[in-house]
Amino acid sequence: MRSVVLPALLSLCLSGCGMMSYSLTANLANAGQPSGKASHVETAAAAGPRTKVAAAAATANDKAPKGSYERAPRGALSERDYSATRLDAERARDLVNVYRKEKGLRPLKLQPALTEAARSHSRDLAKWDRISHFGSDGSNPWDRVRRAGYHARLAAENVGTGQITIDEVMKGWQASPGHNKNLLLQDAEHMGIALVQDPKTEFKTFWTLVIASPQ
């Protein structure tokens, strides 16, 4: 049983040489996020035969490595108000670039293929109601960037779940060493960002930021 602090964040950076450098941060403290701890418990209470068969089939189709994701405890974010949650991609880009400018780094441009890679991952996370860098098809961020048609020499991904605004997401990413490193990648040129909302899920919001530079 693992302890989880919600909302959750994950970051990962991949380089063109194929090496992976993980900085997984599913717990975030003192970064302006709700900090109520809850146990990570997966339950299947009152499941009838048909439900059990459907659940087994879904599990069989899930190719994400075991232990590579977190799920939210039931009702953990039920008291948060997401009615005004929206993503303005240009404003998100501007927030990232203002932060990069403060550190003497060049601005990033929104790139459609990276946006599609981010969107596809957020959709997948929402479908399975979890946070991870692995897709249910077993893909990692590098796979999704390549599949979207972007030929990268460097790619990085930050993921957040449960945040209400892009400002809340950014505050958390800046406060976390792994996420912050991705935001401030010196050689990065492009970015894509996506938000998928699903009020029926426990996490409610699924944010993905992809930062990359082309070959």
Side-chain angles (χ1 to χ4, degrees), residues 4 10 19 52 57 62 80 99 116 124 172 178 184 204 215:
V4 182
L10 286 176
M19 298 295 290
K52 289 181 179 179
D62 184 9
R80 305 200 83 198
Y99 185 52
E116 179 54 35
D124 191 62
L184 301 178
K204 312 301 181 187
Q215 293 178 351

Side-chain angles (χ1 to χ4, degrees), residues 71-146:
R71 288 195 172 100
R74 187 177 298 276
L77 299 174
S78 59
E79 295 184 2
R80 305 200 83 198
D81 181 6
Y82 294 90
S83 60
T85 300
R86 301 287 186 278
L87 173 62
D88 180 334
E90 292 186 353
R91 180 170 180 270
R93 175 205 59 199
D94 292 345
L95 287 174
V96 171
N97 284 339
V98 166
Y99 185 52
R100 288 175 61 86
K101 184 176 180 180
E102 291 173 356
K103 307 298 181 180
L105 299 173
R106 64 182 171 188
L108 305 180
K109 298 178 181 179
L110 287 170
Q111 209 282 339
L114 297 183
T115 297
E116 179 54 35
R119 184 182 297 115
S120 67
H121 191 48
S122 285
R123 286 173 177 163
D124 191 62
L125 294 180
K127 177 181 177 181
W128 292 87
D129 196 6
R130 63 191 182 194
I131 184 168
S132 178
H133 286 300
F134 287 93
S136 61
D137 60 355
S139 64
N140 61 39
W142 189 262
D143 296 327
R144 292 186 291 273
V145 166
R146 182 176 53 193

Side-chain angles (χ1 to χ4, degrees), residues 18-56:
M19 298 295 290
M20 296 186 182
S21 176
Y22 284 85
S23 179
L24 300 177
T25 312
N27 295 348
L28 183 64
N30 302 320
Q33 311 288 346
S35 57
K37 289 189 177 181
S39 297
H40 174 248
V41 182
E42 297 180 32
T43 61
R50 184 174 298 178
T51 303
K52 289 181 179 179
V53 170

